[in-house]
């Protein structure tokens, strides 16, 4: 069975500073990886996904993530955050077959003016 | 525009009552999912359906029931057997294509009064 770990439950960062949100997964088979963002009292929105190919994936709102198979990681990065990036971020995994998605516990990003 | 509509946005329930949360999608997605979200616990899968007239229990199905009579609709009933129903409920859908992520609704916040 797959599982997802997000080591940081809360990440405070100053506006215009870079940020990295960490995600590690475990799986005995190949997987697809996702990052979602959730603003308060809203549903989740897909930021980016890794299916295959280039290990560096670019998403919306200036975010990018790098897939590292040897370290089973899929960390999310942004070089310069904005106040509007304050939200909850979820890493998720699914097998390469048609299967349900497993979510990590989430990381709360707070951007400080 | 295509999307997922959850209603109502806020719902109050008296103890001992059953309530039904609506989820409708016009994306022609095959699979639909219900998640429960509690603070600090991420998303937990309640029920999912990959085809009309068929559904499976997720990790926390006790006290909940669903139906999938139409491809577009996947209502969730929170029964009186659910001892702690106060939570944020999210509905999601996806296509059968491998590697696709979820599209989420905007959620329903259920409070027991």
């Amino acid at each position: 069975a797959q599982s997802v770990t997000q080591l940081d439950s809360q990440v405070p960062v100053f506006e215009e500073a870079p940020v990295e949100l960490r995600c590690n997964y475990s799986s005995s088979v190949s997987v697809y990886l996702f990052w979602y963002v959730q603003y308060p009292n809203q549903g989740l929105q897909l930021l980016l996904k890794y299916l295959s190919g280039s290990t560096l994936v670019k998403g919306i709102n200036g975010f990018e993530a790098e897939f590292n198979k040897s370290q089973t990681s899929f960390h999310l990065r942004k070089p310069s955050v904005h106040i509007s990036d304050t939200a909850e971020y979820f890493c998720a995994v699914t097998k390469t077959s048609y299967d349900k998605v497993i979510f990590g516990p989430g990381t709360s990003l707070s951007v400080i003016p | 525009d295509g999307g997922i509509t959850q209603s109502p946005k806020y719902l109050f329930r008296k103890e001992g009552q059953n309530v039904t949360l609506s989820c409708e999608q016009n994306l022609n997605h095959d699979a639909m999912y219900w998640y429960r979200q509690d603070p600090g616990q991420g998303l937990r899968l309640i029920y999912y359906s990959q085809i009309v007239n068929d559904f499976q229990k997720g990790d926390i199905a006790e006290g909940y029931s669903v139906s999938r009579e139409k491809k577009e609709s996947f209502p969730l009933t929170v029964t009186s057997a659910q001892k702690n129903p106060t939570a944020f409920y999210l509905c999601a859908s996806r296509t059968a294509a491998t590697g696709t992520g979820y599209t989420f609704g905007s959620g329903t916040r259920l409070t027991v009064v």
Side-chain angles (χ1 to χ4, degrees), chain B residues 20-42:
Chain B
T20 297
L21 283 60
S22 172
C23 178
E24 303 276 337
Q25 55 99 359
N26 60 2
L27 300 165
N28 199 33
H29 285 176
D30 301 288
M32 298 186 73
Y33 304 80
W34 274 106
Y35 284 88
R36 170 178 171 144
Q37 187 177 25
D38 296 281
Q41 294 196 43

Side-chain angles (χ1 to χ4, degrees), chain A residues 20-81:
Chain A
E20 178 179 83
L21 305 183
R22 295 181 293 170
C23 172
N24 289 88
Y25 69 93
S26 65
S27 177
S28 58
V29 299
S30 296
V31 295
Y32 297 148
L33 296 155
F34 306 84
W35 275 100
Y36 288 86
V37 60
Q38 184 182 32
Y39 300 102
N41 293 313
Q42 294 186 26
L44 278 68
Q45 178 184 1
L46 182 66
L47 271 179
L48 49 78
K49 62 182 178 182
Y50 172 79
L51 304 182
S52 64
S54 173
T55 57
L56 184 63
V57 180
K58 294 189 182 297
I60 62 172
N61 301 340
F63 284 94
E64 63 181 31
E66 186 159 17
F67 170 62
N68 187 319
K69 188 175 182 179
S70 62
Q71 297 186 5
T72 60
S73 68
F74 190 54
H75 301 331
L76 181 70
R77 303 185 182 100
K78 187 170 183 178
S80 176
V81 295

Side-chain angles (χ1 to χ4, degrees), chain A residues 32 36 38 96 98-99 101, chain B residues 31 35 37 94 98-99 102 109:
Chain A
Y32 297 148
Y36 288 86
Q38 184 182 32
T96 53
Y98 179 39
D99 200 3
V101 176
Chain B
Y35 284 88
Q37 187 177 25
R94 67 188 284 190
T98 302
Y102 289 163
R109 186 166 297 282

Side-chain angles (χ1 to χ4, degrees), chain B residues 60-91:
Chain B
I60 56 164
E62 185 175 352
Y64 300 97
S65 66
V66 294
S67 63
R68 187 86 186 278
E69 298 176 1
K70 299 186 299 181
K71 187 176 185 178
E72 303 79 22
S73 179
F74 192 41
L76 173 74
T77 297
V78 184
T79 74
S80 57
Q82 170 51 235
K83 298 306 179 186
N84 185 24
T86 294
F88 190 53
Y89 291 86
L90 286 162
C91 180

